Amino acid sequence: MSDKPIPIDLAPFAGMLDGGREFLRAWAKQDGPTSYFVNPRALGPDPALFGMALVDAARQAAAAWGKALGRPGDDMLNRIWEGLDAERAAPTSDLPLPIAVARKDD
């Protein structure tokens, strides 16, 4: 695994992003912790919007895993829910510090 971040190529999806604002970046280390960078201002003042976005992301991820593994997306989504439930019941780590907040103009 490379030490350099490898960005996801979004160029083919530019039309889908028109007018959108990035609100989340996530990085995973192999056999290690994950890091998240969240810009709440991109979604608005109600944190419930982030929850709704996470559910949409889970559904999208399930479809991607299903396609990649040749398995039903519903099976993949059930595994994602299992992981979410397990992490909510017993978090594997404390929040990483520092927590950065986007600037007013972001």
Side-chain angles (χ1 to χ4, degrees):
M1 183 178 234
S2 171
D3 289 338
K4 296 181 182 179
I6 301 171
I8 297 171
D9 181 11
L10 299 178
F13 311 103
M16 293 171 60
L17 304 176
D18 187 31
R21 296 178 68 193
E22 183 178 59
F23 68 91
L24 172 67
R25 285 189 186 196
W27 296 92
K29 293 182 182 178
Q30 188 170 354
D31 299 322
T34 53
S35 299
Y36 304 93
F37 302 89
V38 178
N39 177 3
R41 287 187 173 93
L43 287 173
D46 186 353
L49 296 172
F50 186 74
M52 293 169 67
L54 289 178
V55 170
D56 288 344
R59 292 174 58 228
Q60 183 72 24
W65 251 289
K67 184 175 181 178
L69 299 178
R71 298 190 46 204
D74 287 345
D75 290 353
M76 302 297 98
L77 187 57
N78 286 333
R79 285 294 292 153
I80 290 171
W81 296 143
E82 288 172 16
L84 285 167
D85 291 342
E87 186 66 16
R88 287 186 69 191
T92 55
S93 65
D94 292 327
L95 283 176
L97 295 176
I99 304 293
V101 177
R103 297 182 314 264
K104 288 182 180 181
D105 58 345
D106 286 344

